[in-house]
Amino acid sequence: MQELLDNLKELYALNGITLRNPSLAWAEVTPERLVGLLTQLRDAHGFTHLVLMTCVDWLEDGRFQVTYLLHNYTTRQDLGLHVYVGRTASELPSIHTLWEQGRVYQQELHEMFGIYFPGSPGLGEPMILESWDGPPPMRRDFDTRVYSEETYSHRQRTHHEPEQHMKDRLYPED
Amino acid sequence: MSDIEQKDKPATQPEWVKDERTLTNSALPSEEQDWFCDARPRRVEKHWQVLENFMNWARAHSLWILAFGTGCGAIEMRPLVTARYDISRLGMQMRPTPRQASVFVIGGYVSLKTLKRIVRSYEQMQGPKFVVAVCSCAINGGMYWDSYNTIKRIDEYIPVDVYVTGCMPRPEAVLAGFNLLKKLIREGKAEGQNLYADKFDWYKANQKQVIKDWNMPDYNW
Ligand code: SF4
């Protein structure tokens, strides 16, 4: 794994390489070199399986961290790639040409974080948030509580102390 | 029973109301508007009491459930059919389509996307029809009380006859809910369907207020 990453480091300007254990490594890559790197990993190094694509919102740093996790079935190794992208007008290259299921992840990231993936099929269609028209809800500056209080009507809550409640029910005279 | 109060009528009619009896289906493309019925649901009048009592007795003994689980609480519906709880001894069974069902069990939290399907399925059910809301989430939002996409009060969108609280309620609790429903039906008090017909405008306005991309007929049946 170390050897592979060392080889690729020069070519793809990999950053922050960490080897967690012999079969799991992380690295950072820039958005421009992402698709080239993924293609090489898939076609030349056996990382044929896209395990997941996910995103973390680092609100304080003003950027999103998008993670691509790949798996190699012959060597049983996982490789995670981090890509950082700004929080406003975020745009990343689409990988649906490499892995078709990337389309679904990209659709979800678009819906939940508002990241744009040019060319990804079905990107504008609602998936989970059908009928909903607020901002992307997983961004950390979106306050779900305020939104829910403004949008939906809530039932008034009443609280009962269990002990007192049962007393009143069972022994109303006392 | 639900504790809804009728809000004041709006001064101008919304565009989906043509007149007292007719709906416009205006959210559909113009060529599709004729495909669907434009009548509102109508109140079912009662027969004379003896016949009504007999019918209610019969209704209470053949409740067919629409097998549509909205959230995680619906998992408790499965044990009900097994030998241990065996709802078929109560004359109940699961049906795959709204057309054959008379009880709609809201099994858990209701997201906006689900609400659309719920409204459509509920309206497609043939009368007499009843709704049992299982789970805290359907009653007051439960642990999704601050969620951006979960409906907090299902009784503002469809009429509910019986609530079963719990997260999630045990099958015994659900059975107790069904027994209560049977009691209400026998007493002629499970009037959700008529409530829906009477307050149709209010329910519809609530539904359209949260479902932002309304693209269904105004009343599907
Ligand atoms: S009340 Fe609990 S079990 Fe029921 S839908 Fe809500 S979270 Fe799920």
Side-chain angles (χ1 to χ4, degrees), chain A residues 19-155:
Chain A
L19 218 64
R20 286 283 164 77
N21 58 47
S23 60
L24 174 65
W26 297 97
E28 278 167 35
V29 63
T30 56
E32 300 80 51
R33 314 210 182 192
L34 174 72
V35 174
L37 174 62
L38 287 174
T39 314
Q40 177 156 3
L41 284 170
R42 184 188 74 161
D43 295 344
H45 303 292
F47 285 90
T48 50
H49 179 53
L50 174 71
V51 183
L52 58 83
M53 236 178 107
T54 184
C55 177
V56 179
D57 182 359
W58 296 105
L59 181 62
E60 294 78 8
D61 304 346
R63 56 184 189 170
F64 288 130
Q65 177 196 44
V66 182
T67 303
Y68 298 76
L69 192 61
L70 309 180
H71 184 71
N72 185 336
Y73 279 107
T74 32
T75 56
R76 307 253 162 150
Q77 284 173 328
D78 288 301
L79 175 58
L81 296 172
H82 295 315
V83 184
Y84 288 99
V85 58
R87 289 182 86 252
T88 45
S90 336
E91 193 175 306
L92 279 178
S94 170
I95 59 155
H96 72 277
T97 42
L98 294 175
W99 287 279
E100 214 171 312
Q101 70 270 32
R103 178 184 73 81
V104 182
Y105 288 115
Q106 287 169 176
Q107 207 176 336
E108 191 177 4
L109 291 184
H110 178 70
E111 203 165 57
M112 291 296 180
F113 291 93
I115 305 174
Y116 186 56
F117 296 89
S120 183
L123 200 66
E125 290 165 19
M127 186 162 68
I128 305 161
L129 297 181
E130 193 182 319
S131 313
W132 198 76
D133 71 342
M138 298 292 262
R139 296 172 80 108
R140 275 175 54 214
D141 47 5
F142 172 73
D143 192 336
T144 64
R145 183 170 171 182
V146 171
Y147 182 87
S148 126
E149 271 161 12
E150 282 167 1
T151 317
Y152 307 108
S153 63
H154 289 248
R155 194 186 293 277

Side-chain angles (χ1 to χ4, degrees), chain B residues 69-118:
Chain B
T70 61
C72 38
I75 212 82
E76 294 293 338
M77 300 303 295
R78 281 69 184 157
L80 288 179
V81 208
T82 58
R84 179 157 181 179
Y85 298 104
D86 190 18
I87 47 168
S88 48
R89 74 203 148 96
L90 305 177
M92 309 180 83
Q93 57 172 315
M94 302 282 187
R95 300 309 297 173
T97 142
R99 298 287 190 212
Q100 299 172 353
S102 56
V103 181
F104 196 161
V105 178
I106 308 287
Y109 55 82
V110 177
S111 70
L112 276 179
K113 191 174 174 176
T114 325
L115 180 67
K116 223 166 152 182
R117 277 83 186 160
I118 288 180

Side-chain angles (χ1 to χ4, degrees), chain B residues 117-132:
Chain B
R117 277 83 186 160
I118 288 180
V119 169
R120 198 148 190 174
S121 314
Y122 177 74
E123 291 181 348
Q124 284 184 357
M125 282 164 65
Q126 309 205 2
K129 50 190 174 185
F130 314 100
V131 179
V132 178

Side-chain angles (χ1 to χ4, degrees), chain A residues 131, chain B residues 16 25-28 115-116 119-120 123 196 203-204 206-220:
Chain A
S131 313
Chain B
W16 48 274
N25 290 334
S26 57
L28 296 171
L115 180 67
K116 223 166 152 182
V119 169
R120 198 148 190 174
E123 291 181 348
Y196 195 68
Y203 281 115
K204 213 29 85 173
N206 283 344
Q207 290 163 7
K208 295 202 177 199
Q209 195 192 343
V210 291
I211 300 180
K212 301 287 165 38
D213 62 337
W214 186 275
N215 51 6
M216 308 191 286
D218 290 321
Y219 181 58
N220 335 248

